[in-house]
Amino acid sequence: MATYQREVIEFPYCEEVSKYEKIIKIGQGTFGEVFKARHQKTRKIVALKKVLMENEKEGFPITALREIKILQLLRHENVVTLLEICRTKASAYNRYKGSIYLVFEFCEHDLAGLLSNSNVQFSLGEIKEALKQLLNGLYYIHQNKVLHRDMKTANILLTKDGRLKLADFGLARAFSFPKPGQPNRYTNRVVTLWYRPPELLLGERNYTQAIDVWGAGCIMAEMWTRSPIMQGNTEQHQLTLITHLCGSITPEVWQDVDQLELYQSLELPKGQKRKVKDRLKSYVKDQYALDLIDKLLGLDPKTRTSTDEALNHDFFWEDPMPCSLTRMLSQHTQSMYEYLAPRRRIQQNHPPSHPAPPPPRQNAATSKLGLNTASFEKTY
Amino acid sequence: MADDNAEPKKLPPKSYGNVIISLENCMFDKERLKTTASKVDGLDPETEISLRILGCEYIQTAGILLRLPQASHPVNSANVAMATAQVLFQRFYYSKSFVKHNMEIVAMACINLASKIEEEPRRLRDVINVFYHIKQKSMNKHIEPMVLDSKYITLKNNSIKAERRVLKELGFCVHVKHPHKMIVMYLQLLELQSNKRLVQTAWNYMNDSLRTDVFVRYPPETIACACIYLSARQLQVVLPESPDWYGLMGATLDEMEDIALTILRLYTFKLKPYSELDREVEKCRVILQAAKMKAKGLLNAEGLNSAAGTPQNFSPHSNSTQNSPKVKTESPGLPNSYKLGNSLVKEESNGSTAAVKKYGLDSLTDSRVRRSSNSSQIVGGLQGAKLQCHSPAF
Ligand SMILES: Nc1ncnc2c1ncn2[C@@H]1O[C@H](COP(=O)(O)OP(=O)(O)OP(=O)(O)O)[C@@H](O)[C@H]1O
Ligand SMILES: [Mg+2]
């Protein structure tokens, strides 16, 4: 008769999440809730992101699988680190469906939270440092053939010692360079509307790293404007706003744009001049900065600047040089997150046509943190 | 990630205390492989091997029916999703036993999971239907669409739970590096890529190797070398001796021979029909259950004041199926009568071709999945051919 023993090979990787105690909820997205938590024994602080499984008819969500794989692949100081994956025990409480948590290194702030607080002031050198780290992170993930596909300030994290980290790879995926005659057909239902590049709005499915570069351009401008520069309500509206800033979209400035699926069916304002520098110069006084934003917001993805070129731009090499964010951030002992920031973002953050709008947030915390309440409804 | 170009940069696995996050294939050493969870539960090794082979065969067949990418030719798209599913299936059963985890449910879960991992998602409903189809076909029944009744719902829920268990058990290290591309690349380096027969044979051996344990024992580079080595031997193609090409890929002759022999053993292995295998599993399950209850009973007897604490369904004499009334005799998965002949892998080295013939699925597959099959010849030749390791055979 067989003797009853414990399993022979135990994979140690998937421990129970109960070794961490939750401290406070710091984020809520389409994918799940995010908590600040502490390891019971080591007292180490982490961020726990719960994988939402409730409405999964097809088992474990493919988006979560992608995020996990990509995070396992990426190791970089400007990419958020996945520490481990934990689970809850299946029990009668959860109808024998335990949940899965991604455990991340903890970051004190996200950029959306910082920018919405007027007490937080970035010097030009500090902006340069933040952007340099952002582009370094993007350069690294693109080198590894990963597209982020959801660039926005809420997905950029900062640690208190001045390290910027790309986060939220929930929409990210690996890409391949298209083979001749075999264009890629990725979904174009990605990127939050306000940060979505014109090629996606026009129905391009064979897109490239340039989609993330556009987002970086929007975020760069936002470092000065402090709120998203193009807050469209619909895809059509977003394209109109882009045209008003970057000029009319025509085959002259963008070769073969007329081949895109929606080029004929969407209304594209004619005769608009490019006014990126003009319209931003009241916020952005630095000429190099204006020039770099202009290049990051290039209409044609084929000629839009790359992360590599951007990092070589004079902006990063002229005085004042990039300088550490540590000192500025050390003045703010309270964590700042989009989720905890009051007002404007509450409704507008997920404008129509976000791939899968999250439920409305009823319980965004009020301005305990002494946040600025003046709103930047529209930049223009 | 199914795209061929997305070969990530090699990064060292990071370790956080006891947590290891890595994209390298998980491997076990030989000692560890000797004691599988199924063995601990009393299953005999022959039955376990049969279940592994059969499970992989189901996965392969289901993959064809689900039209997951199959390779018509190595240079084209890779047979990645089904290969991944088979590797996950094998890995899982090194930590969990066939006695406690129904083979078919786990196979379904692995297909579901692997199709998502390789960016070729299929609906779970289709996966379940395809399994149902394979089963009916194997019983020579008239094919009828599956009824979406409560049994179906249970099956679906069980397969979702099994998917989670696979993920948990493998610690989310579910990404598999396959030798497909490596075979092609190495043959190019050897300037043998124009020998289509060699390429195809190596490719077929690679697909068949998924049914063995080589993927949990060797890195994909070594498996790729072994498949080339075996094919070259079979087709009497001369490979360069110096420099030793396989050494450049990190393989040794001993390793290649071990893999080659493991693959060859597959073709002489006497596969039992599933009904028989399931009976074996059931037997172990009953014994295990009884032992568990006995242990509980003893515990109660010693700890508490015995009689009241003894489970009612504890039967002190229950060492056999008949005496143990509470133990379910039906497996939670598909019905037990899933029959299979045992000559399958003997006839063909190419799993999917065999499956197509066996289940009469030709009409369901498009031309992409049919391969030029030189396999029966290969097997015929190899059964006799002993590998003489160190002789200058080429
Ligand atoms: N490691 C972390 N440290 C601190 N805060 C974090 C961390 N990860 C996430 N957060 C906070 O939680 C918020 C939501 O997390 P994340 O963006 O990863 O998921 P999501 O919002 O659910 O995804 P999506 O943006 O697609 O809806 C972030 O905006 C950030 O404020
Ligand atoms: Mg987010």
Side-chain angles (χ1 to χ4, degrees):
Chain A
M1 197 173 97
T3 43
Y4 187 67
Q5 280 177 20
R6 279 178 58 78
E7 304 291 355
V8 192
I9 298 164
E10 212 116 34
F11 290 78
Y13 318 123
C14 201
E15 298 191 346
E16 279 183 49
V17 76
S18 56
K19 67 180 181 184
Y20 297 103
E21 51 182 318
K22 287 178 185 170
I23 300 171
I24 184 182
K25 180 166 165 179
I26 52 177
Q28 161 82 62
T30 42
F31 186 15
E33 296 172 305
V34 181
F35 296 90
K36 178 179 180 177
R38 185 189 294 115
H39 193 285
Q40 307 265 21
K41 285 213 190 81
T42 64
R43 315 307 282 168
K44 186 184 160 91
I45 302 286
V46 297
L48 297 179
K49 182 168 169 177
K50 186 177 177 180
V51 177
L52 273 191
M53 283 279 288
E54 263 87 74
N55 306 313
E56 285 305 332
K57 294 196 184 77
E58 303 298 329
F60 200 78
I62 188 170
T63 49
L65 287 171
R66 282 187 189 139
E67 180 165 26
I68 290 167
K69 165 152 198 191
I70 283 166
L71 287 163
Q72 285 173 336
L73 165 72
L74 302 173
R75 295 280 146 185
H76 190 266
E77 53 182 14
N78 297 123
V79 175
V80 72
T81 308
L82 176 69
L83 299 173
E84 63 174 323
I85 297 165
C86 285
R87 68 195 163 91
T88 57
K89 253 211 164 89
S91 71
Y93 278 117
N94 48 37
R95 283 178 293 139
Y96 297 96
K97 290 181 190 162
S99 13
I100 297 291
Y101 285 86
L102 309 193
V103 183
F104 291 99
E105 63 173 327
F106 179 73
C107 301
E108 279 72 14
H109 314 279
D110 70 34
L111 191 55
L114 288 172
L115 291 177
S116 66
N117 183 339
S118 65
N119 295 324
V120 177
Q121 291 294 333
F122 289 91
S123 71
L124 184 54
E126 286 159 356
I127 290 181
K128 288 185 182 186
E129 177 63 24
L131 286 167
K132 196 172 125 186
Q133 293 191 39
L134 178 93
L135 290 166
N136 262 327
L138 269 188
Y139 175 79
Y140 169 80
I141 71 165
H142 291 164
Q143 280 287 303
N144 282 282
K145 303 206 172 82
V146 170
L147 300 178
H148 187 281
R149 307 203 302 185
D150 198 12
M151 292 294 286
K152 60 179 180 185
T153 48
N155 292 338
I156 311 285
L157 307 177
L158 282 124
T159 64
K160 67 173 184 305
D161 43 341
R163 208 38 84 214
L164 178 146
K165 314 249 177 193
L166 301 179
D168 196 354
F169 288 79
L171 286 175
R173 69 162 291 168
F175 70 92
S176 59
F177 294 105
K179 295 161 198 125
Q182 287 185 356
N184 292 317
R185 287 188 63 78
Y186 303 136
T187 172
N188 61 4
R189 314 282 299 156
V190 292
V191 186
T192 310
L193 187 58
W194 297 345
Y195 298 85
R196 204 177 295 170
E199 66 269 27
L200 284 183
L201 293 163
L202 289 170
E204 176 68 271
R205 299 183 59 153
N206 187 24
Y207 49 77
T208 63
Q209 304 101 303
I211 64 160
D212 291 335
V213 172
W214 177 274
C218 296
I219 291 168
M220 179 171 176
E222 205 172 323
M223 294 299 292
W224 284 274
T225 64
R226 307 291 292 223
S227 75
I229 58 169
M230 291 177 280
Q231 307 181 10
N233 302 317
T234 60
E235 301 184 11
Q236 171 68 64
H237 184 213
Q238 191 68 26
L239 267 175
T240 306
L241 292 178
I242 290 175
T243 306
H244 287 159
L245 183 66
C246 303
S248 293
I249 297 171
T250 62
E252 281 80 59
V253 298
W254 179 348
Q255 205 195 337
D256 293 335
V257 63
D258 47 343
Q259 306 296 309
L260 290 177
E261 208 175 310
L262 303 174
Y263 180 77
Q264 308 298 344
S265 50
L266 283 167
E267 204 179 299
L268 298 168
K270 297 265 150 39
Q272 293 285 325
K273 277 220 199 64
R274 189 171 176 90
K275 321 181 196 70
V276 177
K277 291 183 182 177
D278 239 25
R279 294 188 56 182
L280 284 169
K281 68 178 182 226
S282 61
Y283 298 91
V284 187
K285 306 294 182 197
D286 184 76
Q287 284 310 306
Y288 299 112
L290 281 174
D291 190 64
L292 180 54
I293 295 173
D294 196 31
K295 292 199 158 74
L296 293 168
L297 294 178
L299 282 175
D300 182 354
K302 293 186 290 299
T303 56
R304 191 175 302 151
T305 199
S306 68
T307 48
D308 198 23
E309 285 163 359
L311 284 164
N312 275 319
H313 192 277
D314 288 342
F315 176 63
F316 295 110
W317 302 99
E318 292 288 335
D319 284 330
M321 288 295 280
C323 72
S324 165
L325 295 155
T326 321
R327 227 186 54 205
M328 185 273 284
L329 289 173
S330 69
Q331 295 163 21
H332 305 281
T333 49
Q334 273 283 7
S335 267
M336 281 168 263
Y337 296 110
E338 178 190 61
Y339 176 71
L340 299 171
R343 70 193 165 70
R344 69 172 172 93
R345 287 173 187 274
I346 291 162
Q347 269 111 51
Q348 293 184 0
N349 181 48
H350 288 283
S353 308
H354 187 278
R361 296 168 185 179
Q362 319 90 333
N363 54 345
T366 41
S367 62
K368 252 188 255 147
L369 311 174
L371 294 173
N372 164 37
T373 45
S375 83
F376 302 88
E377 278 305 336
K378 288 259 151 65
T379 309
Y380 310 110
Chain B
M1 287 195 280
D3 27 38
D4 288 349
N5 294 330
E7 189 79 326
K9 268 194 202 158
K10 258 204 176 161
L11 296 158
K14 286 241 168 145
S15 163
Y16 296 92
N18 61 347
V19 181
I20 298 156
I21 296 175
S22 161
L23 287 179
E24 297 299 311
N25 290 354
C26 307
M27 278 180 280
F28 309 118
D29 58 39
K30 254 191 158 158
E31 272 312 299
R32 249 185 149 181
L33 289 172
K34 271 192 200 149
T35 356
T36 65
S38 304
K39 213 184 244 175
V40 172
D41 283 352
L43 202 65
D44 67 288
E46 297 286 296
T47 305
E48 177 172 358
I49 294 171
S50 283
L51 282 166
R52 285 177 187 275
I53 295 174
L54 212 54
C56 287
E57 188 191 309
Y58 288 1
I59 292 172
Q60 194 74 36
T61 311
I64 294 167
L65 289 173
L66 290 163
R67 311 244 162 111
L68 282 157
Q70 299 282 327
S72 58
H73 190 274
V75 188
N76 296 329
S77 71
N79 191 359
V80 180
M82 282 310 96
T84 298
Q86 290 173 65
V87 174
L88 297 179
F89 178 84
Q90 296 272 15
R91 281 186 197 167
F92 178 78
Y93 281 115
Y94 279 102
S95 93
K96 291 287 172 194
S97 100
F98 282 102
V99 180
K100 295 193 193 108
H101 301 273
N102 179 268
M103 182 269 263
E104 286 164 89
I105 303 275
V106 171
M108 279 189 249
C110 289
I111 292 176
N112 184 33
L113 180 56
S115 67
K116 283 182 277 192
I117 290 169
E118 304 300 348
E119 296 287 347
E120 288 287 341
R122 291 295 179 273
R123 282 190 311 188
L124 194 46
R125 199 180 79 189
D126 295 336
V127 175
I128 292 172
N129 259 322
V130 156
F131 260 82
Y132 184 71
H133 177 101
I134 297 171
K135 190 199 72 203
Q136 287 195 316
K137 200 78 205 179
S138 72
M139 296 190 303
N140 291 320
K141 272 196 183 167
H142 180 66
I143 307 276
E144 275 167 43
M146 188 164 181
V147 196
L148 302 183
D149 56 6
S150 65
K151 238 174 97 187
Y152 164 81
I153 308 265
T154 313
L155 205 54
K156 189 168 166 174
N157 283 338
N158 283 342
S159 118
I160 289 179
K161 277 185 208 156
E163 182 193 33
R164 217 189 81 100
R165 203 168 298 129
V166 171
L167 281 166
K168 184 204 118 189
E169 222 43 61
L170 304 185
F172 285 83
C173 295
V174 289
H175 303 289
V176 180
K177 272 184 22 193
H178 293 296
H180 297 71
K181 259 186 292 173
M182 297 166 192
I183 289 185
V184 178
M185 210 171 74
Y186 297 173
L187 285 172
Q188 269 165 8
L189 289 172
L190 293 166
E191 297 181 345
L192 285 167
Q193 76 271 30
S194 57
N195 186 339
K196 295 284 178 265
R197 205 159 155 225
L198 180 68
V199 179
Q200 188 65 56
T201 308
W203 190 253
N204 289 348
Y205 278 133
M206 205 278 308
N207 274 330
D208 287 348
S209 75
L210 291 161
R211 294 165 192 214
T212 73
D213 61 0
V214 298
F215 273 82
V216 292
R217 281 168 46 209
Y218 293 105
E221 291 82 0
T222 309
I223 299 169
C225 290
C227 293
I228 293 172
Y229 170 78
L230 183 54
S231 315
R233 263 199 100 95
Q234 171 57 27
L235 301 176
Q236 313 210 321
V237 176
V238 179
L239 297 176
E241 294 228 357
S242 69
D244 62 335
W245 56 278
Y246 48 86
L248 296 174
M249 318 303 169
T252 67
L253 197 58
D254 283 352
E255 290 173 337
M256 292 198 302
E257 260 152 20
D258 182 27
I259 294 171
L261 285 170
T262 309
I263 296 173
L264 291 178
R265 268 200 291 277
L266 196 58
Y267 307 124
T268 54
F269 187 81
K270 199 144 165 47
L271 197 60
K272 289 186 216 160
Y274 186 45
S275 52
E276 211 172 295
L277 299 175
D278 208 44
R279 238 176 286 132
E280 288 298 316
V281 168
E282 197 48 47
K283 243 193 260 166
C284 294
R285 201 183 346 258
V286 168
I287 293 171
L288 205 64
Q289 195 89 6
K292 213 167 143 185
M293 284 171 184
K294 199 168 170 185
K296 259 193 200 164
L298 284 177
L299 213 77
N300 284 340
E302 282 163 16
L304 313 170
N305 265 341
S306 64
T310 309
Q312 288 166 359
N313 52 5
F314 169 61
S315 152
H317 309 292
S318 67
N319 271 349
S320 65
T321 325
Q322 290 82 1
N323 291 349
S324 168
K326 277 279 167 168
V327 172
K328 276 193 285 176
T329 42
E330 211 181 318
S331 75
L334 296 164
N336 304 340
S337 37
Y338 195 159
K339 256 217 266 167
L340 268 173
N342 57 7
S343 57
L344 179 70
V345 279
K346 259 201 214 163
E347 287 161 8
E348 299 271 351
S349 91
N350 183 320
S352 33
T353 318
V356 168
K357 281 195 190 148
K358 179 168 201 68
Y359 298 107
L361 304 177
D362 296 74
S363 57
L364 283 151
T365 57
D366 55 48
S367 54
R368 280 181 310 150
V369 299
R370 283 201 209 128
R371 304 172 188 173
S372 67
S373 181
N374 47 15
S375 35
S376 22
Q377 277 168 290
I378 298 171
V379 178
L382 281 174
Q383 275 174 348
K386 251 202 194 147
L387 283 182
Q388 278 164 9
C389 306
H390 301 284
S391 65
F394 302 120

